[in-house]
Amino acid sequence: MKRALIFGDSYSTFAGCIPEGYEPYYPGLDVETADKTWWHLVAAEAPLTLVRNDSWSGSTICYTGYNGVDRSRSSSFIYRLRCLVEEGFFEKNAIDTVLVFGGTNDSWTGGPLGEPLLEGAEEKDLYAVLPAIGHFFAALRQAAPRAAVYCLINTDLKPEITTTLEVAARHNGAIPVVFSHIDKQNGHPTAAGMRQIADRVLQVMDQQTE
């Protein structure tokens, strides 16, 4: 069975299923149990062994969080990936599949977008969303060169973020998973929305094996 890692924000959290100290959003709405989450459904039906769900509610890919707070050494996707690399996570765990579901908070914070930059970003560039996306996917590919990486792209993002997620994913050999509709309340997936996410991810996974 393939071994999976998730990088996510609130959409992928569930209390007790994410690392200690990370902020959960779920349980919430009508998603009362973990088996109703999109990632649990995918893991059960793909099937996958979930090694780690590295998801933090409210987290951004870039270093700029809500109200301009510096997340360069806390919840940002880039910092969390860097921590895993430094602690030898990828050497200790044979990860076959990585599911990345981010960019929603980057779209919501009102932080700087910057200019798309697929390679060569400096630390100062990572406070802006678009270069941070390029850097994250390049760093992830370096950390897990043999893994199948799926980039889940939410609905209703700023168009520049949607485009950069897709371009950066493809540039680094990742597979974009684009959604046309997700049932939501308060900007977050309901149980029906979770099922829609899972179905689309499973569909794209199946296409890769045909």
Side-chain angles (χ1 to χ4, degrees), residues 7-142:
F7 271 102
D9 51 32
S10 59
Y11 281 41
S12 307
T13 63
F14 199 90
C17 300
I18 55 177
E20 185 176 354
Y22 283 29
E23 182 70 28
Y25 180 87
Y26 293 97
L29 305 177
D30 59 347
V31 183
E32 306 99 346
T33 55
D35 61 2
K36 291 185 178 180
T37 62
W38 72 265
W39 48 269
H40 192 285
L41 293 166
V42 169
E45 297 172 32
L48 302 169
T49 296
L50 184 57
V51 177
R52 182 182 179 96
N53 183 349
D54 202 284
S55 298
W56 190 320
S57 182
S59 62
T60 49
I61 296 173
C62 76
Y63 287 165
T64 303
Y66 285 93
N67 301 312
V69 172
D70 187 335
R71 297 298 184 186
S72 61
R73 297 188 63 80
S74 59
S75 61
S76 67
F77 281 46
I78 292 171
Y79 180 70
R80 284 152 45 201
L81 173 58
R82 194 169 291 170
C83 288
L84 291 186
V85 170
E86 290 175 354
E87 69 186 37
F89 174 84
F90 293 95
E91 286 73 29
K92 298 171 188 173
N93 299 278
I95 299 297
D96 304 290
T97 304
V98 184
L99 297 155
V100 180
F101 202 172
T104 299
N105 292 299
D106 296 271
S107 190
W108 288 353
T109 62
L113 286 176
E115 295 296 328
L117 188 62
L118 295 175
E119 298 175 8
E122 301 178 8
E123 279 292 292
K124 63 179 176 60
D125 299 319
L126 304 182
Y127 287 89
V129 176
L130 304 185
I133 291 171
H135 177 84
F136 175 81
F137 280 98
L140 179 58
R141 176 51 65 200
Q142 185 173 4

